[in-house]
Amino acid sequence: MGFPQKRPLDKDAFFSGRGGDYVCPRCKSRVEELPSQCTVCKLTLVSSAHLARSYHHLFPVPPFTEGFGLDDEGKRHTSCFACYVDFEEGNESTSNENAPSVCPKCKKTFCFVCDVYIHEKLHNCPGCELVKFLAEEGQ
């Protein structure tokens, strides 16, 4: 994968096709648009913005498992880590909108609505992000 630079077309420049604004970092040929593949050396060319927008597809949040997580004292979580909605006592049914699920990495418990939001929109687990932040802060 390469990150081409945008450069104006020089007089007497070599290019394939109709030319283009982007220069392949491997073979220096011209490419019209991104993302694309270099027609000469077949290198995949993207901009950093394209890569940032697709990051969550490359490293998705792992699927959460049904059930309750446990706190540091071994007690079952009674509310969602993200929105603090209380779970109904003794109800682990997946038909319940507030059915709990647990992140396999940080072991935090989330309601169904937050689970869907985390996987489809946010693309980051708040519990995992908190664990990373606390580790960086040395706590």
Side-chain angles (χ1 to χ4, degrees):
M1 184 173 293
F3 300 97
Q5 294 183 352
K6 188 170 185 174
R7 292 190 189 145
L9 190 61
D10 295 333
K11 184 180 172 189
D12 302 327
F14 170 75
F15 57 88
S16 65
R18 295 184 298 227
D21 292 332
Y22 299 98
V23 177
C24 174
R26 182 184 288 167
C27 69
K28 308 296 185 226
S29 68
R30 293 265 173 184
V31 179
E32 292 180 42
E33 61 185 8
L34 299 178
S36 66
Q37 190 175 47
C38 176
T39 55
V40 176
C41 69
K42 306 298 184 212
L43 181 66
T44 301
L45 303 171
V46 297
S47 70
S48 58
H50 290 120
L51 188 59
R53 283 193 297 262
S54 65
Y55 180 83
H56 64 271
H57 294 294
L58 299 173
F59 304 101
V61 177
F64 293 172
T65 56
E66 293 180 28
F68 290 92
L70 303 176
D71 63 15
D72 295 335
E73 300 168 359
K75 295 181 182 176
R76 190 171 86 166
H77 293 151
T78 58
S79 63
C80 175
F81 179 77
C83 70
Y84 302 113
V85 68
D86 288 328
F87 299 120
E88 293 179 24
E89 192 65 32
N91 189 355
E92 296 186 34
S93 169
T94 55
S95 63
N96 181 1
E97 188 173 275
N98 293 332
S101 57
V102 180
C103 173
K105 290 184 178 179
C106 68
K107 306 300 184 204
K108 302 293 184 195
T109 304
F110 298 92
C111 68
F112 177 76
V113 174
C114 289
D115 182 346
V116 170
Y117 181 74
I118 288 166
H119 284 90
E120 293 183 6
K121 299 287 183 189
L122 193 58
H123 305 295
N124 288 303
C125 172
C128 293
E129 294 299 316
L130 178 64
V131 168
K132 276 195 278 188
F133 173 76
L134 294 175
E136 290 172 2
E137 295 293 311
Q139 295 181 359

